[in-house]
């Protein structure tokens, strides 16, 4: 792969657009192979780099320099919502370059929610079966970072809508967990978001595979992308997945119907890759889950606490609430990004949780709306996570559970969902 990648970079004028984790990864790789290559780096923030062969661009007009380059390697966080991309440039990304040039058999996993669980399960199944594999992408490892010393046989790639936005190649096996409205401001609306997600399958061939759900919405997605590959639809029916269901029931770290479907999807992909049934079931039985995704934090004062800080949309929060049978308290809320909460309010009005603790901003608004509607639950307008935890310990019935699941972005207070989840965990475990 790398000889082709290096030749491609060396034969064009190149701009790295965005200088976060992935942008720096791209720069480091280019420099190791082409130490004197003249390149550009552009970011809205000031760029701190000492390299005589780099021209930097920053500030509010940082996108304008794109027209000066033949190849623009875009990082996921850069948005073109208010900018017209110049014609006659090659707009690519690490994900796109990997799909084009890697010799790995690629398995791509995307979805609004569930993609980390599914990609992690597939990777675990492969490793248990003794297969050569890596787990890269949106899970936290830029796709080009680990491949210079030799590629594995199989690459499992977690793919966000941002990473798929401008890809012009698709993996051999594509998995779509679900699609709900999210990141709409980045993609200029829901249709743009769906279009980006469906790039995971749009460029497949007839001998490739697309694993997705079984309800009618997936038919629409397939029609939208004119899917050319073999489509495998995963329903909630356990027929053909009896051993997977049995293994799932024995794992207390994987709970909820949504995670059962995730397990079925991972098992389907693993079977296509030749993984033994024993390795698949053992992986599901022993899988420890993923941090901040309906994660059991611990028991304090005879109350079980769960962290689901990745649940940044109402549908994910509802799935988590349904998965915890003895749920008594929900802590929720965060930054508003234009989500319609009408159906979520209706669900909370009749949900099994007795205590609803709303964090700024959306949680407090929703709790106020519920109070105005005459909701009889304990509705707490928390000032911050500290006061929310105090209320949770005070109100939650002993022997029952408290779930922190925002149904909103975390960026109004925290740098990301991990920051929010870790703060929740620390407060719960330190509480006396």
């Amino acid at each position: 792969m790398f000889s082709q990648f290096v030749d491609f970079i060396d034969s064009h004028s190149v701009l790295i657009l965005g200088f976060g984790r992935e942008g720096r990864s791209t720069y480091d790789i280019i420099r190791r192979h082409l130490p004197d290559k003249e390149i550009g780096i552009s970011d809205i923030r000031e760029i701190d780099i000492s390299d005589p062969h780099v021209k930097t661009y920053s500030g509010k007009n940082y996108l304008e320099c794109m027209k000066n380059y033949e190849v623009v390697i875009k990082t996921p966080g850069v948005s073109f919502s208010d900018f017209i991309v110049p014609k006659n440039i090659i707009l690519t990304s690490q994900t796109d370059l990997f799909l084009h040039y890697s010799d790995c058999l690629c398995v791509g996993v995307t979805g609004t929610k569930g993609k980390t669980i599914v990609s992690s399960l597939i990777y675990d199944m492969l490793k248990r079966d003794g297969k050569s594999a890596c787990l890269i992408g949106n899970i936290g490892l830029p796709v080009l970072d680990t491949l210079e010393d030799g590629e594995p046989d199989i690459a499992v790639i977690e793919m966000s809508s941002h990473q798929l936005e401008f890809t012009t190649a698709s993996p051999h096996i594509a998995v779509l967990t679900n699609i709900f409205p999210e990141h709409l401001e980045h993609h200029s609306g829901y249709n743009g978001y769906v279009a980006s997600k469906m790039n995971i399958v749009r460029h497949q061939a007839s001998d490739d595979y697309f694993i997705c759900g079984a309800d009618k919405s997936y038919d629409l997605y397939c029609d939208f992308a004119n899917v050319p590959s073999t489509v495998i639809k995963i329903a909630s029916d356990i027929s053909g997945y009896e051993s997977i269901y049995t293994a799932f029931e024995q794992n207390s770290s994987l709970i909820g119907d949504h995670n059962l479907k995730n397990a079925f999807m991972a098992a389907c992909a693993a079977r296509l890759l030749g993984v033994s049934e024993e390795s698949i079931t053992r992986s599901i039985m022993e899988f420890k889950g993923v941090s901040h995704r309906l994660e059991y934090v611990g028991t304090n004062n005879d109350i079980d606490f769960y962290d689901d800080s990745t649940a940044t949309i109402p549908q994910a929060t509802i799935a988590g609430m349904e998965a915890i049978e003895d749920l008594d308290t929900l802590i929720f809320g965060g930054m508003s990004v234009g989500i319609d909460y009408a159906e979520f309010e209706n669900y909370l009005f009749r949900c099994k949780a007795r205590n609803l603790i709303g964090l700024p901003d959306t949680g407090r608004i929703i709790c106020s709306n519920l109070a105005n509607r005459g909701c009889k639950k304990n509705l707490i307008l928390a000032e911050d996570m500290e006061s929310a935890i105090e209320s949770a310990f005070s109100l939650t019935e002993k022997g029952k559970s408290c779930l922190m699941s925002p149904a909103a972005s975390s960026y109004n207070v925290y740098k990301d969902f991990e920051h929010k989840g870790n703060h929740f965990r620390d407060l719960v475990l330190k509480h006396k």
Side-chain angles (χ1 to χ4, degrees):
M1 169 193 174
F2 264 86
S3 61
Q4 294 175 299
F5 167 75
V6 172
D7 289 345
F8 173 76
I9 295 299
D10 198 26
S11 61
H12 294 86
S13 59
V14 173
L15 174 73
I16 298 172
L17 184 59
F19 205 51
R21 181 191 308 185
E22 190 168 296
R24 290 180 181 275
S25 164
T26 302
Y27 167 77
D28 290 340
I29 290 169
I30 292 174
R31 272 296 163 259
R32 284 196 290 273
H33 294 271
L34 298 168
D36 299 323
K37 169 76 176 176
E38 300 287 337
I39 62 173
I41 300 177
S42 182
D43 196 296
I44 194 168
R45 300 165 298 182
E46 185 175 347
I47 298 166
D48 182 17
I49 190 168
S50 178
D51 186 330
H53 300 293
V54 169
K55 185 173 183 178
T56 61
Y57 309 85
S58 59
K60 64 179 182 179
N61 296 320
Y62 77 107
L63 297 175
E64 296 292 339
C65 65
M66 291 172 62
K67 62 181 180 293
N68 301 325
Y69 294 85
E70 295 171 320
V71 172
V72 176
I73 306 175
K74 176 187 172 295
T75 55
V78 175
S79 173
F80 295 143
S81 57
D82 297 317
F83 180 77
I84 299 175
V85 177
K87 296 180 180 179
N88 303 320
I89 67 168
I90 299 173
L91 182 59
T92 187
S93 64
Q94 277 210 15
T95 301
D96 189 42
L97 291 167
F98 184 90
L99 290 172
H100 275 288
Y101 292 115
S102 174
D103 294 325
C104 297
L105 188 157
C106 293
V107 183
V109 182
T110 196
T112 306
K113 296 300 173 186
K115 55 186 176 291
T116 300
I117 291 285
V118 173
S119 56
S120 298
L121 273 170
I122 294 171
Y123 173 71
D124 189 75
M125 293 169 183
L126 289 166
K127 296 301 289 184
R128 285 176 185 271
D129 211 49
K131 299 190 184 302
S132 170
C134 65
L135 177 60
I136 53 180
N138 190 63
I139 200 158
L141 186 62
V143 297
L144 300 181
D145 267 13
T146 61
L147 303 177
E148 290 177 278
D149 296 328
E151 298 182 60
D153 295 334
I154 303 169
V156 182
I157 314 170
E158 182 187 326
M159 297 172 163
S160 70
S161 61
H162 300 69
Q163 291 166 321
L164 285 165
E165 190 173 12
F166 295 102
T167 54
T168 56
S170 297
H172 172 56
I173 298 175
V175 183
L176 173 66
T177 59
N178 49 55
I179 298 183
F180 300 115
E182 193 176 45
H183 305 307
L184 303 188
E185 71 288 350
H186 179 98
H187 296 287
S188 301
Y190 185 65
N191 287 341
Y193 177 62
V194 172
S196 294
K197 285 289 189 189
M198 294 310 293
N199 277 341
I200 196 171
V201 70
R202 197 184 308 275
H203 308 287
Q204 284 190 318
S206 58
D207 58 348
D208 293 327
Y209 297 92
F210 178 39
I211 301 169
C212 63
D215 61 58
K216 290 184 178 180
S217 63
Y218 293 93
D219 293 335
L220 297 175
Y221 301 145
C222 288
D223 292 342
F224 181 80
N226 193 24
V227 175
S229 54
T230 298
V231 179
I232 303 175
K233 295 185 176 181
I234 304 296
S236 56
D237 181 9
I238 68 171
S239 177
Y241 291 90
E242 291 85 356
S243 62
I244 309 304
Y245 178 78
T246 300
F248 179 87
E249 287 291 290
Q250 298 178 56
N251 187 338
S252 60
S253 296
L254 282 174
I255 58 175
D257 290 343
H258 62 302
N259 274 328
L260 178 60
K261 182 180 176 183
N262 289 337
F264 287 172
M265 287 187 163
C268 179
R271 287 171 174 175
L272 291 174
L273 294 166
V275 177
S276 69
E277 202 70 11
E278 180 182 357
S279 295
I280 292 172
T281 54
R282 181 61 62 182
S283 176
I284 292 172
M285 191 183 305
E286 299 179 359
F287 188 69
K288 300 302 182 184
V290 180
S291 297
H292 311 297
R293 290 160 176 84
L294 205 55
E295 178 186 15
Y296 171 67
V297 169
T299 300
N300 191 348
N301 201 27
D302 202 23
I303 300 168
D304 293 334
F305 288 88
Y306 292 86
D307 166 19
D308 199 23
S309 61
T310 61
T312 55
I313 57 173
Q315 294 89 341
T317 294
I318 291 171
M321 294 176 70
E322 291 296 315
I324 300 174
E325 294 182 0
D326 62 353
L327 180 67
D328 195 42
T329 299
L330 172 70
I331 300 173
F332 70 106
M335 185 177 77
S336 175
V337 291
I339 292 175
D340 183 352
Y341 285 106
E343 289 301 317
F344 186 55
E345 284 187 13
N346 291 336
Y347 173 83
L348 293 180
F349 195 96
R350 55 181 169 76
C351 74
K352 60 190 173 186
R354 295 185 308 116
N355 313 301
L356 302 178
I357 303 174
L359 291 166
D361 300 308
T362 60
R364 289 170 59 92
I365 293 170
I366 291 172
C367 281
S368 295
N369 291 344
L370 290 172
N372 292 335
R373 293 173 57 182
C375 181
K376 302 303 182 183
K377 297 182 183 295
N378 293 319
L379 303 170
I380 309 300
L381 278 64
E383 293 292 333
D384 49 32
M385 188 67 78
E386 286 82 358
S387 61
I389 294 298
E390 289 299 325
S391 296
F393 274 102
S394 174
L395 295 171
T396 307
E397 182 179 336
K398 300 295 188 294
K400 293 195 174 182
S401 296
C402 170
L403 169 68
M404 192 278 287
S405 186
S409 168
S410 302
Y411 294 122
N412 60 330
V413 175
Y414 301 92
K415 64 181 182 179
D416 53 30
F417 71 85
E418 292 173 320
H419 186 199
K420 188 171 192 171
N422 288 335
H423 189 207
F424 170 76
R425 170 191 288 272
D426 289 344
L427 292 171
V428 165
L429 296 181
K430 292 178 181 177
H431 189 275
K432 302 295 186 182

